[in-house]
Amino acid sequence: LHCTRPLCLGRRRLSSDAHMRVRTPFRCSPHPCEYEIAFVSDVEGDLDYFNRWVAGSRCVAYTGSDEAALTLTHARAYFVYGGDVPDHGRGSEQLLRLLVGLKRAFPRRVALLVGNRDLNKLRLTSECAPSDLARPHWSIPAPHWDPSAPTLSQHLEQVAAARGGGATAASCDCAAERLRWMYENTLGCPATFEARRAELAALRSVGSATGDNGGGGGGGGGGGGGGGGGRGGGGGG
């Protein structure tokens, strides 16, 4: 974007935590500007946080009281999402649908960047494919970057021991348990499996969401172009 005046972000205060979350929003310069840009990042499925951010934004708003779709509030408004849509909260799929819907509605004024939590979900398209699920569980090694992580076979043996009743690693081997193992031991998001199970159950209006052989849950990724870091606030320029 090319503004007719220098981009003025105003004063901001950053916390000292790992994500460098912006505690106060960027304040727009009193000088006239050509564009107003809203930015937020690292929501990680926390839909309550995102809703609070939208409520304080001058550029992004919900189209109705049901909070089912987003819109840009004026002709000079732009929106940038800095990456990391899914994982820790129970709103990953809903957030993905909101962001993609906004991008489709305003393709030239919305930019969705990808972060590490979005990119690492791309492996699910291959590792959860039927051809890969057909691989024997004992042939799949532990992640080489974490010597303390269990192999898939060790994970399935733990599941079988917990189920009892003559369950074996082979009888517990299913897509759901492989996905749980990946989330907990190879993707750095041990709470995501249950968070996705709860979200899917809520979206489907059922008591619980289950997968094959008693498992459940699901994936979640992101789309877009670059990378980002740190939750942000609304912006102006």
Side-chain angles (χ1 to χ4, degrees):
L1 301 178
H2 299 282
C3 293
T4 57
R5 295 177 180 271
L7 188 64
C8 301
L9 295 180
R11 297 181 62 186
R12 59 179 176 174
R13 184 173 77 251
L14 298 177
S15 71
S16 59
D17 65 62
H19 288 288
M20 295 296 285
R21 296 168 182 158
V22 175
R23 299 300 186 187
T24 56
F26 292 110
R27 302 201 178 277
C28 188
S29 165
H31 302 292
C33 58
E34 185 175 351
Y35 306 111
E36 190 170 18
I37 305 168
F39 173 87
V40 69
S41 180
D42 292 72
V43 175
E44 297 180 8
D46 189 344
L47 199 59
D48 290 337
Y49 170 85
F50 184 73
N51 289 341
R52 293 194 300 271
W53 179 86
V54 171
S57 174
R58 297 190 304 272
C59 297
V60 180
Y62 283 106
T63 58
S65 59
D66 59 353
E67 299 183 344
L70 295 168
T71 188
L72 297 180
T73 58
H74 58 82
R76 296 182 296 107
Y78 287 76
F79 173 67
V80 178
Y81 187 84
D84 286 357
V85 175
D87 276 350
H88 295 304
R90 295 187 175 186
S92 296
E93 180 171 338
Q94 298 167 82
L95 182 60
L96 281 166
R97 291 180 181 276
L98 288 169
L99 295 177
V100 172
L102 185 62
K103 174 66 176 178
R104 287 174 173 168
F106 302 94
R108 297 179 63 86
R109 292 161 56 196
V110 172
L112 305 180
L113 310 183
V114 294
N116 63 299
R117 291 190 178 278
D118 309 309
L119 287 171
N120 65 17
K121 304 303 182 298
L122 295 178
R123 53 182 282 207
L124 300 182
T125 61
S126 60
E127 293 182 54
C128 291
S131 58
D132 209 72
L133 292 174
R135 294 169 59 193
H137 63 81
W138 44 261
S139 69
I140 299 176
H144 64 83
W145 57 88
D146 184 1
S148 65
T151 63
L152 176 59
S153 289
Q154 291 170 332
H155 167 79
L156 294 173
E157 289 167 1
Q158 293 171 0
V159 173
R163 289 184 183 176
T168 64
S171 68
C172 294
D173 186 15
C174 61
E177 285 302 333
R178 291 196 181 199
L179 181 60
R180 188 197 298 271
W181 173 75
M182 281 189 279
Y183 275 141
E184 293 180 354
N185 299 288
T186 74
L187 286 170
C189 47
T192 294
F193 186 91
E194 292 303 329
R196 287 287 288 130
R197 183 205 296 270
E199 182 183 16
L200 289 173
L203 291 174
R204 296 172 181 175
S205 299
V206 296
S208 63
T210 60
D212 52 354
N213 292 357
R231 286 181 177 174

